[in-house]
Amino acid sequence: MTHATIDTAEQVLAATYSRMPVVFEKGAGATLWDTEGRTYTDFLAGIAVCGLGHAHPAVQKALAEQAGKLLHVSNLFYTKPQTELGEWLTRNSFADRVFFCNSGAEANEAAIKLARKYFFDKGQKGRYRIISMEQSFHGRTMGSLSATGQAKIRKGFEPVLDGFTFVPFNDLEALRAKLDETVCAVLLEPIQGEGGIVCPDPTYLPAVRRLCDQTGTLMILDEIQTGMGRTGKLFAYEHEGAVPDIMTLAKALGNGLPIGAMLAREAVAQAFGPGAHATTFGGTPIMAAGALAVVKTIEEENIVERAARIGDYFMERLQGLQRRHERIEDIRGRGLLLGIKLNEDGAPLVKACLARGFVVNCVQGDILRLAPPLIISTGEIDALIDCLDTILSTEA
């Protein structure tokens, strides 16, 4: 069955991914099963998506119940699940308004449009440029691609959209030098995920916030990978109190469901009136019901506090691993978004882990990204550490 599925996939699917030769069939918690019956411990969670793990009963129940009632009516009407999800997000964040969409890229598209529209409505039509960070990643649609500070992501799609400038992450003076009367927003990730699990200095994000306040510039935080408890806070901006004007979410908000959200302060959100922006499938009853079950579970089961505690344990175990192996150059990250910086290509280690029943992945060529479900156990972490210890000791 596995070979037949892979062979067919290679014939019919767009070749946009270099897939691993595994066909996953089911999951539960942090465990995955392939079609051959082999089990794997998931330390990737669908790229920081399945924060509650696989097949969480609360999400299953919510989807089953909503599927029997109402799937879709369009955003020309009100629905209870969407309203309740929006109310939960605004109550638990800085924001006053939420725009629901289908993905992180769409959420970033909405944020880019809102920032430009905000200044257009204020009569400042020349204030449209957005400063983003080198090595950032904001999506693959043309707008979010244009805001992404990695040449390899943009290659082949030029010319990208005008109006984006890049500065080094964690360099306040470089940002200050580029801020002028044409800039409407600064867009950045609290931790650069695809850029290599790069954390800023503790003073950086608050300083960016102050600089935006001084210049009247909007601050947009892309929390698509860091949000919903991943870093040990519900939202990563809470660590240093660098509250944005606009924030984008996706990934763990739906625990595998395609849903994104753009959140904004009231004064900024007012730039999106009827007809200014829209989506057919954003916040449909079934997606909103599933995401509502996710956020309620995060709250009721103290998932954020657990992620902080387990993340500290994981970091300690990884630092111990680093002390034993010169092949490890650095351990980085926060909460349960962690990276192992190697002094070699990481792809062989990803394959070696998979062969031993552990799912991880590699970013930037030499960094193993570890973003497990937030319900991962210390025992499962210990097993991965033992696996990595063996690989680093015995495999060239």
Side-chain angles (χ1 to χ4, degrees):
M1 182 186 295
T2 296
H3 294 301
T5 299
I6 292 174
D7 289 345
T8 301
E10 289 297 310
Q11 295 175 34
V12 302
L13 300 182
T16 53
Y17 285 88
S18 295
R19 290 179 167 89
M20 303 295 281
V22 176
V23 179
F24 286 125
E25 188 171 42
K26 63 178 181 178
T31 303
L32 290 164
W33 284 263
D34 68 15
T35 51
E36 304 299 319
R38 292 185 294 263
T39 61
Y40 304 77
T41 307
D42 188 359
F43 279 86
L44 185 58
I47 313 180
V49 169
C50 300
L52 300 180
H54 302 281
H56 193 284
V59 180
Q60 290 186 62
K61 183 173 184 286
L63 291 175
E65 290 179 354
Q66 188 61 45
K69 294 191 294 186
L70 185 68
L71 293 180
H72 178 75
V73 291
S74 89
N75 284 305
L76 296 175
F77 306 93
Y78 299 99
T79 61
K80 190 174 179 181
Q82 185 185 89
T83 302
E84 289 183 357
L85 180 60
E87 192 278 331
W88 192 97
L89 287 170
T90 55
R91 175 165 45 85
N92 287 280
S93 74
F94 72 93
D96 302 301
R97 301 277 180 174
V98 183
F99 173 82
F100 288 111
C101 50
N102 307 289
S103 68
E106 288 187 28
N108 284 332
E109 291 277 349
I112 291 165
K113 289 180 68 175
L114 179 62
R116 287 185 170 181
K117 183 68 160 48
Y118 172 75
F119 284 102
F120 180 90
D121 288 354
K122 289 165 67 72
Q124 301 179 46
K125 298 179 183 179
R127 196 165 186 177
Y128 67 94
R129 288 198 307 114
I130 291 175
I131 297 178
S132 186
M133 303 296 127
E134 294 176 3
Q135 295 304 307
S136 61
F137 182 84
H138 299 294
R140 293 182 184 271
T141 54
M142 281 306 295
S144 59
L145 177 76
S146 300
T148 292
Q150 298 187 51
K152 66 181 182 182
I153 303 295
R154 299 193 303 271
K155 184 178 180 180
F157 302 103
E158 298 91 347
V160 295
L161 302 184
D162 183 34
F164 295 90
T165 301
F166 302 100
V167 299
F169 186 60
N170 208 30
D171 187 336
L172 189 68
E173 293 311 310
L175 175 60
R176 191 192 308 274
K178 294 293 184 180
L179 270 174
D180 60 27
E181 68 278 0
T182 69
V183 176
C184 65
V186 176
L187 168 62
L188 71 168
E189 303 153 275
I191 297 174
Q192 290 192 326
E194 298 294 329
I197 321 299
V198 181
C199 295
D201 294 335
T203 60
Y204 178 66
L205 291 178
V208 172
R209 175 70 272 179
R210 289 192 297 271
L211 191 56
C212 286
D213 289 339
Q214 292 164 9
T215 57
T217 307
L218 298 179
M219 181 179 181
I220 306 172
L221 285 184
D222 177 341
E223 293 240 22
I224 289 162
Q225 193 159 159
T226 58
M228 308 315 298
R230 173 60 54 186
T231 68
K233 296 285 188 182
L234 185 59
F235 306 113
Y237 75 78
E238 298 176 80
H239 286 287
E240 280 88 33
V243 181
D245 301 292
I246 302 171
M247 176 174 70
T248 56
L249 300 172
K251 288 187 178 288
L253 176 61
N255 206 65
L257 299 171
I259 186 169
M262 182 205 66
L263 290 76
R265 295 187 296 106
E266 180 71 21
V268 179
Q270 287 303 305
F272 267 6
H277 193 50
T279 172
T280 297
F281 292 109
T284 59
I286 192 160
M287 295 307 162
L292 188 62
V294 170
V295 299
K296 286 182 176 179
T297 301
I298 287 173
E299 185 174 38
E300 293 166 3
E301 297 185 3
N302 298 313
I303 296 296
V304 176
E305 294 82 357
R306 188 183 193 284
R309 186 178 68 256
I310 299 299
D312 287 343
Y313 178 84
F314 203 173
M315 176 65 81
E316 290 175 6
R317 291 303 319 270
L318 289 171
Q319 289 171 339
L321 188 70
Q322 180 187 10
R323 288 191 291 270
R324 295 192 298 276
H325 296 282
E326 294 182 355
R327 297 167 70 180
I328 298 177
E329 185 176 310
D330 187 30
I331 301 296
R332 53 180 65 167
R334 199 168 205 170
L336 285 169
L337 180 58
L338 300 170
I340 303 174
K341 173 71 166 66
L342 303 164
N343 53 27
E344 60 189 73
D345 181 19
L349 276 76
V350 171
K351 293 178 181 178
C353 284
L354 189 68
R356 289 166 171 79
F358 295 92
V359 177
V360 302
N361 90 316
C362 186
V363 292
Q364 297 299 311
D366 58 359
I367 298 163
L368 297 185
R369 174 170 47 185
L370 304 170
L374 306 185
I375 49 86
I376 197 79
S377 69
T378 56
E380 289 166 326
I381 289 170
D382 291 342
L384 176 66
I385 296 296
D386 289 344
C387 172
L388 289 170
D389 211 352
T390 298
I391 293 170
L392 291 168
S393 297
T394 61
E395 297 192 17

mmCIF file of all heavy atoms in Angstrom, residues 102-129:
data_model
loop_
_atom_site.group_PDB
_atom_site.id
_atom_site.type_symbol
_atom_site.label_atom_id
_atom_site.label_comp_id
_atom_site.label_asym_id
_atom_site.label_seq_id
_atom_site.Cartn_x
_atom_site.Cartn_y
_atom_site.Cartn_z
ATOM 1 N N ASN A 102 -8.298 31.653 5.770
ATOM 2 C CA ASN A 102 -8.073 30.217 5.633
ATOM 3 C C ASN A 102 -6.654 29.756 5.941
ATOM 4 O O ASN A 102 -6.402 28.559 6.008
ATOM 5 C CB ASN A 102 -8.406 29.788 4.202
ATOM 6 C CG ASN A 102 -9.796 30.224 3.792
ATOM 7 O OD1 ASN A 102 -10.784 29.693 4.262
ATOM 8 N ND2 ASN A 102 -9.873 31.220 2.924
ATOM 9 N N SER A 103 -5.714 30.688 6.106
ATOM 10 C CA SER A 103 -4.320 30.293 6.262
ATOM 11 C C SER A 103 -3.506 31.446 6.825
ATOM 12 O O SER A 103 -3.974 32.590 6.894
ATOM 13 C CB SER A 103 -3.732 29.893 4.906
ATOM 14 O OG SER A 103 -3.638 31.038 4.054
ATOM 15 N N GLY A 104 -2.261 31.138 7.175
ATOM 16 C CA GLY A 104 -1.361 32.170 7.645
ATOM 17 C C GLY A 104 -1.018 33.175 6.564
ATOM 18 O O GLY A 104 -0.940 34.378 6.821
ATOM 19 N N ALA A 105 -0.776 32.695 5.359
ATOM 20 C CA ALA A 105 -0.471 33.615 4.256
ATOM 21 C C ALA A 105 -1.616 34.595 4.034
ATOM 22 O O ALA A 105 -1.396 35.797 3.820
ATOM 23 C CB ALA A 105 -0.183 32.823 2.978
ATOM 24 N N GLU A 106 -2.838 34.106 4.096
ATOM 25 C CA GLU A 106 -3.994 34.988 3.918
ATOM 26 C C GLU A 106 -4.115 35.978 5.067
ATOM 27 O O GLU A 106 -4.513 37.135 4.869
ATOM 28 C CB GLU A 106 -5.278 34.165 3.796
ATOM 29 C CG GLU A 106 -5.407 33.427 2.484
ATOM 30 C CD GLU A 106 -6.764 32.756 2.342
ATOM 31 O OE1 GLU A 106 -7.748 33.256 2.928
ATOM 32 O OE2 GLU A 106 -6.832 31.722 1.659
ATOM 33 N N ALA A 107 -3.789 35.544 6.281
ATOM 34 C CA ALA A 107 -3.817 36.454 7.417
ATOM 35 C C ALA A 107 -2.798 37.576 7.226
ATOM 36 O O ALA A 107 -3.073 38.750 7.512
ATOM 37 C CB ALA A 107 -3.537 35.691 8.709
ATOM 38 N N ASN A 108 -1.622 37.230 6.717
ATOM 39 C CA ASN A 108 -0.610 38.252 6.462
ATOM 40 C C ASN A 108 -1.004 39.163 5.308
ATOM 41 O O ASN A 108 -0.720 40.366 5.328
ATOM 42 C CB ASN A 108 0.750 37.603 6.202
ATOM 43 C CG ASN A 108 1.400 37.117 7.483
ATOM 44 O OD1 ASN A 108 1.151 37.658 8.556
ATOM 45 N ND2 ASN A 108 2.235 36.091 7.387
ATOM 46 N N GLU A 109 -1.647 38.604 4.296
ATOM 47 C CA GLU A 109 -2.166 39.445 3.224
ATOM 48 C C GLU A 109 -3.144 40.475 3.786
ATOM 49 O O GLU A 109 -3.108 41.664 3.429
ATOM 50 C CB GLU A 109 -2.893 38.585 2.177
ATOM 51 C CG GLU A 109 -2.002 37.687 1.354
ATOM 52 C CD GLU A 109 -1.355 38.404 0.182
ATOM 53 O OE1 GLU A 109 -1.749 39.549 -0.124
ATOM 54 O OE2 GLU A 109 -0.446 37.819 -0.422
ATOM 55 N N ALA A 110 -4.016 40.033 4.661
ATOM 56 C CA ALA A 110 -4.996 40.939 5.263
ATOM 57 C C ALA A 110 -4.304 42.020 6.084
ATOM 58 O O ALA A 110 -4.706 43.197 6.059
ATOM 59 C CB ALA A 110 -5.974 40.154 6.130
ATOM 60 N N ALA A 111 -3.255 41.634 6.824
ATOM 61 C CA ALA A 111 -2.524 42.604 7.644
ATOM 62 C C ALA A 111 -1.844 43.663 6.775
ATOM 63 O O ALA A 111 -1.859 44.861 7.097
ATOM 64 C CB ALA A 111 -1.490 41.876 8.498
ATOM 65 N N ILE A 112 -1.247 43.220 5.681
ATOM 66 C CA ILE A 112 -0.585 44.153 4.757
ATOM 67 C C ILE A 112 -1.604 45.130 4.173
ATOM 68 O O ILE A 112 -1.384 46.355 4.128
ATOM 69 C CB ILE A 112 0.132 43.370 3.636
ATOM 70 C CG1 ILE A 112 1.334 42.608 4.204
ATOM 71 C CG2 ILE A 112 0.560 44.297 2.500
ATOM 72 C CD1 ILE A 112 1.882 41.539 3.264
ATOM 73 N N LYS A 113 -2.735 44.603 3.742
ATOM 74 C CA LYS A 113 -3.768 45.454 3.165
ATOM 75 C C LYS A 113 -4.325 46.430 4.199
ATOM 76 O O LYS A 113 -4.564 47.610 3.901
ATOM 77 C CB LYS A 113 -4.898 44.596 2.579
ATOM 78 C CG LYS A 113 -4.511 43.845 1.316
ATOM 79 C CD LYS A 113 -5.675 43.017 0.784
ATOM 80 C CE LYS A 113 -6.807 43.887 0.267
ATOM 81 N NZ LYS A 113 -7.890 43.058 -0.350
ATOM 82 N N LEU A 114 -4.550 45.944 5.429
ATOM 83 C CA LEU A 114 -5.109 46.803 6.469
ATOM 84 C C LEU A 114 -4.163 47.956 6.788
ATOM 85 O O LEU A 114 -4.603 49.108 6.944
ATOM 86 C CB LEU A 114 -5.395 45.994 7.733
ATOM 87 C CG LEU A 114 -5.974 46.790 8.908
ATOM 88 C CD1 LEU A 114 -7.324 47.395 8.542
ATOM 89 C CD2 LEU A 114 -6.112 45.907 10.151
ATOM 90 N N ALA A 115 -2.868 47.669 6.896
ATOM 91 C CA ALA A 115 -1.897 48.720 7.211
ATOM 92 C C ALA A 115 -1.909 49.802 6.138
ATOM 93 O O ALA A 115 -1.896 51.009 6.441
ATOM 94 C CB ALA A 115 -0.503 48.116 7.353
ATOM 95 N N ARG A 116 -1.940 49.407 4.881
ATOM 96 C CA ARG A 116 -1.958 50.393 3.799
ATOM 97 C C ARG A 116 -3.287 51.169 3.777
ATOM 98 O O ARG A 116 -3.311 52.384 3.598
ATOM 99 C CB ARG A 116 -1.725 49.699 2.458
ATOM 100 C CG ARG A 116 -0.279 49.241 2.270
ATOM 101 C CD ARG A 116 -0.059 48.665 0.878
ATOM 102 N NE ARG A 116 1.367 48.449 0.626
ATOM 103 C CZ ARG A 116 1.852 47.981 -0.513
ATOM 104 N NH1 ARG A 116 1.030 47.670 -1.508
ATOM 105 N NH2 ARG A 116 3.159 47.813 -0.674
ATOM 106 N N LYS A 117 -4.373 50.451 3.980
ATOM 107 C CA LYS A 117 -5.692 51.105 3.944
ATOM 108 C C LYS A 117 -5.849 52.088 5.100
ATOM 109 O O LYS A 117 -6.482 53.150 4.948
ATOM 110 C CB LYS A 117 -6.782 50.030 4.004
ATOM 111 C CG LYS A 117 -8.204 50.560 3.893
ATOM 112 C CD LYS A 117 -8.492 51.122 2.513
ATOM 113 C CE LYS A 117 -10.000 51.204 2.241
ATOM 114 N NZ LYS A 117 -10.770 51.810 3.301
ATOM 115 N N TYR A 118 -5.271 51.774 6.240
ATOM 116 C CA TYR A 118 -5.359 52.640 7.419
ATOM 117 C C TYR A 118 -4.793 54.023 7.106
ATOM 118 O O TYR A 118 -5.413 55.052 7.392
ATOM 119 C CB TYR A 118 -4.609 51.993 8.576
ATOM 120 C CG TYR A 118 -4.450 52.869 9.796
ATOM 121 C CD1 TYR A 118 -5.528 53.112 10.651
ATOM 122 C CD2 TYR A 118 -3.218 53.445 10.094
ATOM 123 C CE1 TYR A 118 -5.370 53.920 11.778
ATOM 124 C CE2 TYR A 118 -3.057 54.252 11.218
ATOM 125 C CZ TYR A 118 -4.127 54.482 12.049
ATOM 126 O OH TYR A 118 -3.972 55.274 13.165
ATOM 127 N N PHE A 119 -3.630 54.071 6.481
ATOM 128 C CA PHE A 119 -3.024 55.362 6.171
ATOM 129 C C PHE A 119 -3.678 56.022 4.953
ATOM 130 O O PHE A 119 -3.756 57.252 4.876
ATOM 131 C CB PHE A 119 -1.512 55.211 5.979
ATOM 132 C CG PHE A 119 -0.789 55.052 7.291
ATOM 133 C CD1 PHE A 119 -0.364 53.803 7.710
ATOM 134 C CD2 PHE A 119 -0.568 56.145 8.106
ATOM 135 C CE1 PHE A 119 0.286 53.648 8.923
ATOM 136 C CE2 PHE A 119 0.072 56.006 9.327
ATOM 137 C CZ PHE A 119 0.501 54.758 9.742
ATOM 138 N N PHE A 120 -4.169 55.226 4.017
ATOM 139 C CA PHE A 120 -4.920 55.774 2.885
ATOM 140 C C PHE A 120 -6.131 56.541 3.385
ATOM 141 O O PHE A 120 -6.407 57.668 2.939
ATOM 142 C CB PHE A 120 -5.346 54.642 1.948
ATOM 143 C CG PHE A 120 -6.127 55.100 0.748
ATOM 144 C CD1 PHE A 120 -5.476 55.433 -0.426
ATOM 145 C CD2 PHE A 120 -7.510 55.199 0.797
ATOM 146 C CE1 PHE A 120 -6.194 55.869 -1.537
ATOM 147 C CE2 PHE A 120 -8.230 55.623 -0.314
ATOM 148 C CZ PHE A 120 -7.573 55.954 -1.477
ATOM 149 N N ASP A 121 -6.850 55.943 4.343
ATOM 150 C CA ASP A 121 -8.045 56.589 4.890
ATOM 151 C C ASP A 121 -7.704 57.843 5.680
ATOM 152 O O ASP A 121 -8.540 58.745 5.826
ATOM 153 C CB ASP A 121 -8.807 55.620 5.793
ATOM 154 C CG ASP A 121 -9.514 54.522 5.012
ATOM 155 O OD1 ASP A 121 -9.510 54.573 3.765
ATOM 156 O OD2 ASP A 121 -10.062 53.599 5.650
ATOM 157 N N LYS A 122 -6.485 57.908 6.194
ATOM 158 C CA LYS A 122 -6.046 59.088 6.924
ATOM 159 C C LYS A 122 -5.522 60.187 6.000
ATOM 160 O O LYS A 122 -5.047 61.234 6.460
ATOM 161 C CB LYS A 122 -4.939 58.696 7.921
ATOM 162 C CG LYS A 122 -5.434 57.889 9.107
ATOM 163 C CD LYS A 122 -4.284 57.229 9.861
ATOM 164 C CE LYS A 122 -3.377 58.220 10.542
ATOM 165 N NZ LYS A 122 -4.036 58.846 11.736
ATOM 166 N N GLY A 123 -5.593 59.925 4.697
ATOM 167 C CA GLY A 123 -5.143 60.902 3.734
ATOM 168 C C GLY A 123 -3.645 60.883 3.476
ATOM 169 O O GLY A 123 -3.090 61.810 2.869
ATOM 170 N N GLN A 124 -2.973 59.801 3.918
ATOM 171 C CA GLN A 124 -1.523 59.682 3.745
ATOM 172 C C GLN A 124 -1.229 58.605 2.701
ATOM 173 O O GLN A 124 -0.684 57.543 3.009
ATOM 174 C CB GLN A 124 -0.864 59.359 5.085
ATOM 175 C CG GLN A 124 -1.124 60.422 6.156
ATOM 176 C CD GLN A 124 -0.472 60.078 7.483
ATOM 177 O OE1 GLN A 124 0.688 59.687 7.545
ATOM 178 N NE2 GLN A 124 -1.239 60.223 8.559
ATOM 179 N N LYS A 125 -1.593 58.885 1.456
ATOM 180 C CA LYS A 125 -1.478 57.893 0.399
ATOM 181 C C LYS A 125 -0.036 57.510 0.091
ATOM 182 O O LYS A 125 0.215 56.432 -0.439
ATOM 183 C CB LYS A 125 -2.160 58.415 -0.867
ATOM 184 C CG LYS A 125 -3.652 58.676 -0.689
ATOM 185 C CD LYS A 125 -4.272 59.216 -1.963
ATOM 186 C CE LYS A 125 -5.751 59.537 -1.761
ATOM 187 N NZ LYS A 125 -6.384 60.089 -2.993
ATOM 188 N N GLY A 126 0.894 58.357 0.417
ATOM 189 C CA GLY A 126 2.299 58.037 0.177
ATOM 190 C C GLY A 126 2.920 57.177 1.259
ATOM 191 O O GLY A 126 4.097 56.804 1.166
ATOM 192 N N ARG A 127 2.144 56.851 2.261
ATOM 193 C CA ARG A 127 2.661 56.033 3.363
ATOM 194 C C ARG A 127 2.178 54.594 3.162
ATOM 195 O O ARG A 127 1.156 54.170 3.712
ATOM 196 C CB ARG A 127 2.188 56.596 4.702
ATOM 197 C CG ARG A 127 2.963 56.069 5.879
ATOM 198 C CD ARG A 127 2.745 56.893 7.136
ATOM 199 N NE ARG A 127 3.635 56.416 8.181
ATOM 200 C CZ ARG A 127 3.737 56.965 9.387
ATOM 201 N NH1 ARG A 127 3.007 58.030 9.697
ATOM 202 N NH2 ARG A 127 4.575 56.467 10.266
ATOM 203 N N TYR A 128 2.940 53.849 2.394
ATOM 204 C CA TYR A 128 2.498 52.507 2.010
ATOM 205 C C TYR A 128 3.576 51.437 2.188
ATOM 206 O O TYR A 128 3.292 50.240 2.125
ATOM 207 C CB TYR A 128 2.060 52.507 0.536
ATOM 208 C CG TYR A 128 3.209 52.750 -0.417
ATOM 209 C CD1 TYR A 128 3.892 51.674 -0.983
ATOM 210 C CD2 TYR A 128 3.618 54.036 -0.737
ATOM 211 C CE1 TYR A 128 4.967 51.886 -1.846
ATOM 212 C CE2 TYR A 128 4.688 54.251 -1.601
ATOM 213 C CZ TYR A 128 5.350 53.176 -2.142
ATOM 214 O OH TYR A 128 6.408 53.385 -2.976
ATOM 215 N N ARG A 129 4.833 51.833 2.386
ATOM 216 C CA ARG A 129 5.908 50.841 2.458
ATOM 217 C C ARG A 129 5.875 50.076 3.779
ATOM 218 O O ARG A 129 5.482 50.604 4.810
ATOM 219 C CB ARG A 129 7.280 51.511 2.310
ATOM 220 C CG ARG A 129 7.577 51.996 0.916
ATOM 221 C CD ARG A 129 9.057 52.242 0.687
ATOM 222 N NE ARG A 129 9.646 53.115 1.699
ATOM 223 C CZ ARG A 129 10.574 52.708 2.566
ATOM 224 N NH1 ARG A 129 11.010 51.457 2.557
ATOM 225 N NH2 ARG A 129 11.062 53.559 3.447
#
